[in-house]
């Protein structure tokens, strides 16, 4: 085992280390990290572990950043990243719309008072139930993802009904942090391709349905994109298609939805999408492309998920055991792939930190693993933690606000963790822990 000798001052988190933490993060005493004015150790004591901590001000600030960067656009938060009633309230209060992909997400949002006309329904396989709920609540728009949906939606709307729709177009652009989260290319399940003509064909059929109003085109390139260029290519291709639609059908589409996918840093030093730059470049490209095509500039829609919720959340675990085996040190915590499948799914890397006490200033290379029955159940591979980390210690994983709880599973029946919100020195429970009683109550047969 190699040990890295660091000067004592590094026991206190540096500004670089804290760059992936919420802006409110502070360290009043070495090792005693607070978020939103609340000590993480206090949260662990009060709500037990594992627990997700969500900084309300950070969520709101990130919503405001989008409004400031894109004042002319509609910003829709992608609910699949993380949704609960409080989150729906915050997003709505900050002036954003909402993207949902199921009747479940839709119902939760509507139950929380989210205005249905500011909700957009997505999905490559919307069930009859999803569509029925969307129409009965009166969602603002439905994004058509396959030709068969056109007739289904038109029939469900009825001859006297009216529904605004968009079409999800595959622009044929490869971008995104990992193969499994790239959705702008031809070889994946989402959308209708421009190059094989499916998109144009579907649009012609939509225009034939009097009860469907095609408001615009939609594309979503993928996730964890930090480069502006793919979005500019998307703008050019989408405007090209809009120009052809005007020629062929005389239709002028009023909105252009460029999806989300803006990358965040999971570890200090990683790249993030520069929103101001993205906004400036997209605006310039759109203006220029539309001028060249003689089109009026459509209203822009942007759909961030991860970039709103991800960096506002922290996952807090307790160490159960530390084991030295095969030349490795495994720090095993009381959660894992059931509350965060992302390392197993996409090989994502995190930068965990010992919190709640001042650790040894000597760091040791360790792999933080979960409690589940799979060797791939890793929380953070090959990271540096104080070499005195032991059972009972608290480990905090930043950037855990998006695609953690929303992707959590029931594996090993450990129950999904609760979510506590912090703000102005107070913590409150937003989502309670899934109890054994919750799990047992579903088991109804014998
Ligand atoms: C997932 C998704 C988003 C949000 O993606 P992020 O990477 O979280 O920003 C936006 N739009 C659509 C259609 C999506 O499927």
């Amino acid at each position: 085992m190699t040990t890295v000798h660091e000067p004592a001052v590094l026991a206190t988190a540096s500004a670089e280390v804290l760059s992936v933490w919420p802006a409110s993060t502070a360290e009043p005493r070495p090792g005693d990290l607070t978020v939103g004015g609340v000590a993480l150790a206090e949260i662990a004591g009060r709500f037990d572990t594992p627990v997700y901590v969500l900084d309300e001000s950070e969520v709101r600030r990130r919503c405001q950043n989008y409004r400031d960067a894109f004042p002319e656009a509609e910003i829709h938060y992608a609910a699949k990243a993380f949704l609960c009633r409080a989150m729906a309230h915050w997003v709505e209060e900050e002036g954003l719309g909402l993207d949902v992909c199921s009747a479940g997400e839709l119902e939760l949002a509507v139950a929380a008072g989210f205005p249905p006309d500011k909700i957009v329904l997505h999905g490559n396989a919307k069930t009859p139930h999803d569509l029925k709920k969307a129409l009965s609540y009166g969602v603002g728009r439905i994004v058509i993802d396959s030709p068969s949906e056109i007739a289904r939606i038109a029939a469900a709307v009825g001859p006297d009904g009216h529904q605004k729709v968009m079409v999800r177009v595959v622009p044929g652009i490869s971008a995104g942090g990992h193969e499994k989260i790239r959705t702008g290319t031809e070889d994946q399940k989402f959308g209708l391709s421009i190059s094989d003509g499916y998109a144009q064909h579907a649009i012609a059929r939509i225009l034939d349905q009097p009860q469907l109003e095609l408001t615009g085109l939609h594309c979503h390139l993928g996730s964890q994109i930090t480069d502006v260029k793919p979005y500019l290519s998307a703008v050019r291709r989408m405007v090209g298609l809009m120009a052809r639609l005007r020629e062929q059908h005389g239709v002028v589409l009023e909105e252009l939805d460029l999806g989300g996918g803006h990358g965040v840093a999971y570890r200090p030093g990683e790249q993030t999408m520069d929103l101001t730059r993205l906004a400036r470049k997209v605006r310039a490209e759109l203006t220029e492309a539309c001028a060249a095509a003689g089109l009026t500039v459509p209203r822009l829609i942007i759909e961030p998920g991860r970039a709103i919720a991800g960096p506002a959340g922290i996952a807090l675990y307790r160490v159960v055991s530390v084991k030295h085996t095969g030349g490795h040190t495994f720090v095993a915590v009381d959660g894992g792939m059931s509350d965060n499948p992302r390392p197993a799914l996409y090989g994502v890397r995190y930068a965990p930190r010992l919190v709640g006490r001042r650790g040894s200033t000597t760091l040791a290379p360790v792999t933080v693993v979960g409690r589940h029955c799979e060797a791939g159940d890793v929380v953070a591979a090959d990271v540096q933690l104080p070499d005195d980390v032991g059972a009972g210690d608290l480990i905090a994983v930043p950037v855990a606000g998006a695609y953690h709880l929303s992707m959590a599973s029931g594996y090993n029946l450990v129950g999904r963790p609760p979510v506590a919100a912090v703000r102005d020195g107070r913590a409150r429970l937003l989502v309670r822990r899934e109890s054994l009683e919750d799990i047992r109550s579903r088991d109804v047969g014998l």
Side-chain angles (χ1 to χ4, degrees):
M1 191 174 88
T2 52
T3 50
V4 182
H5 294 276
E6 299 279 348
V9 287
L10 280 192
T12 303
S14 66
E16 205 216 350
V17 164
L18 291 185
S19 65
V20 296
W21 288 72
S24 71
T25 306
E27 194 171 20
R29 281 169 302 280
D32 181 21
L33 233 50
T34 65
V35 175
V38 187
L40 292 177
E42 183 191 323
I43 292 175
R46 188 168 149 203
F47 301 105
D48 207 353
T49 53
V51 56
Y52 302 107
V53 182
L54 195 60
D55 183 336
E56 176 179 346
S57 305
E58 184 72 19
V59 170
R60 290 184 184 273
R61 190 174 71 87
R62 287 176 171 272
C63 293
Q64 288 155 12
N65 286 349
Y66 271 95
R67 302 271 329 259
D68 292 346
F70 293 93
E72 77 282 25
E74 269 183 39
I75 314 291
H76 294 178
Y77 169 63
K80 67 174 193 236
F82 170 74
L83 188 65
C84 66
R85 288 187 302 146
M87 187 74 183
H89 278 286
W90 303 342
V91 162
E92 209 262 316
E93 283 166 10
E94 296 305 330
L96 275 59
L98 197 71
D99 277 8
V100 300
C101 315
S102 70
E105 289 174 359
L106 174 60
E107 291 213 2
L108 194 148
V110 172
F114 209 95
D117 64 314
K118 292 182 74 184
I119 299 179
V120 176
L121 177 69
H122 288 271
N124 74 298
K126 300 175 196 77
T127 66
H129 180 65
D130 294 335
L131 285 176
K132 194 172 149 220
K133 284 289 169 189
L135 294 175
S136 69
Y137 284 130
V139 298
R141 309 169 193 73
I142 297 175
V143 180
I144 290 175
D145 194 289
S146 75
S148 63
E149 268 180 45
I150 301 165
R152 282 173 62 209
I153 297 173
V157 168
D160 304 322
H162 176 256
Q163 177 63 50
K164 288 185 176 174
V165 297
M166 288 192 280
V167 172
R168 177 154 179 173
V169 172
V170 180
I173 293 164
S174 181
H178 188 279
E179 185 199 333
K180 289 178 192 166
I181 51 174
R182 284 181 200 149
T183 55
T185 54
E186 320 282 342
D187 53 356
Q188 50 76 49
K189 69 176 182 173
F190 294 102
L192 295 157
S193 166
I194 303 182
S195 63
D196 63 13
Y198 268 86
Q200 295 88 321
H201 188 69
I203 289 165
R205 284 182 50 207
I206 293 167
L207 295 173
D208 275 344
Q209 306 287 337
Q211 63 273 61
L212 301 186
E213 177 188 345
L214 182 66
T215 61
L217 304 179
H218 170 277
C219 67
H220 172 67
L221 303 179
S223 217
Q224 268 303 71
I225 303 168
T226 51
D227 184 4
V228 167
K229 283 195 214 86
Y231 291 95
L232 305 183
S233 307
V235 166
R236 283 193 295 276
R237 295 199 188 168
M238 301 294 271
V239 170
L241 179 55
M242 288 172 67
R244 268 172 282 149
L245 293 174
R246 193 198 42 193
E247 270 166 41
Q248 287 163 11
H249 305 284
V251 355
V252 178
L253 300 179
E254 66 202 38
E255 35 191 33
L256 174 60
D257 189 332
L258 289 180
H262 314 145
V264 303
Y266 282 88
R267 293 182 298 169
E270 285 178 0
Q271 245 194 307
T272 61
M273 173 59 85
D274 178 343
L275 273 193
T276 318
R277 188 175 131 82
L278 176 70
R280 179 165 40 85
K281 294 274 190 178
V282 161
R283 194 176 298 124
E285 193 75 33
L286 186 58
T287 310
E288 194 184 304
C290 287
L295 290 169
T296 28
V297 174
R299 178 171 59 250
L300 206 56
I301 302 174
I302 305 284
E303 307 176 321
R306 184 191 316 271
I308 300 263
I314 293 142
L316 204 49
Y317 303 99
R318 206 172 282 281
V319 175
V320 178
S321 76
V322 177
K323 182 158 63 181
H324 307 280
T325 178
H328 289 279
T329 301
F330 291 102
V331 174
V333 298
D334 55 1
M337 68 191 298
S338 68
D339 61 78
N340 181 11
R342 302 183 66 255
L345 278 174
Y346 327 121
V348 182
R349 310 284 305 273
Y350 289 86
R353 207 178 153 75
L354 173 71
V355 297
R357 73 170 175 90
R358 176 179 205 151
S360 159
T361 53
T362 308
L363 302 179
V366 305
T367 287
V368 180
V369 295
R371 60 174 295 179
H372 295 284
C373 305
E374 301 231 351
D377 175 26
V378 170
V379 174
D382 303 324
V383 294
Q384 302 276 337
L385 285 181
D387 70 351
D388 63 347
V389 66
D393 274 336
L394 288 173
I395 299 285
V397 176
V399 203
Y403 305 109
H404 278 233
L405 183 57
S406 69
M407 292 181 116
S409 74
Y411 191 32
N412 290 144
L413 303 188
V414 299
R416 286 171 288 182
V419 181
V422 290
R423 199 186 91 176
D424 302 333
R426 285 169 188 276
R428 66 189 197 277
L429 192 63
L430 296 186
V431 181
R432 71 162 169 80
R433 187 180 303 282
E434 188 175 31
S435 67
L436 185 55
E437 187 46 41
D438 291 329
I439 296 168
R440 207 162 30 215
S441 65
R442 300 178 59 229
D443 189 338
V444 294
L446 207 62

